[in-house]
Amino acid sequence: MGYRWNNEIDVDEAIVVFMNSLDSEGKIPAWLLKTIKQSMKDSKKELSYYFLEEIKKHAPQALNYFMDEG
C-alpha cells in the first residue's frame, strides 16, 4: 500500500527512507520499492517527477529501480 504524497515534504521523507535503505543495505527492499511505486501512481505527477529528480541528483544508480519493465 502506497501513501499519497501531498507535498514535497512528504516526498522528501520518502527519499530519506529510500536513501537510508540504499546506504545501509546496498539495495532497496521489495516492500519499500512497492510502496514508493504505488505512492508515485497515487500522487500528483509533479510530486512523482520531483521524487525521480531528487533520486537522480543523490543516487543516479538507483533510477534503474523505476525503469519500466517489459
Side-chain angles (χ1 to χ4, degrees):
M1 169 192 258
Y3 300 94
R4 180 170 284 138
W5 297 326
N6 296 307
N7 53 47
E8 289 184 359
I9 292 171
D10 291 345
V11 178
D12 289 339
E13 291 172 352
I15 291 167
V16 168
V17 173
F18 183 89
M19 295 299 296
N20 284 343
S21 291
L22 192 59
D23 289 344
S24 68
E25 299 178 32
K27 62 181 181 174
I28 302 303
W31 69 266
L32 179 57
L33 186 58
K34 182 177 179 180
T35 300
I36 289 174
K37 285 183 174 185
Q38 189 63 49
S39 294
M40 292 174 75
K41 288 179 184 177
D42 291 346
S43 300
K44 291 181 182 177
K45 187 185 299 186
E46 295 83 13
L47 293 173
S48 296
Y49 180 75
Y50 173 71
F51 175 84
L52 291 173
E53 285 299 308
E54 291 299 304
I55 294 301
K56 184 177 178 181
K57 286 182 202 174
H58 301 290
Q61 74 282 7
L63 284 175
N64 63 351
Y65 286 107
F66 303 100
M67 301 302 289
D68 288 335
E69 299 161 1

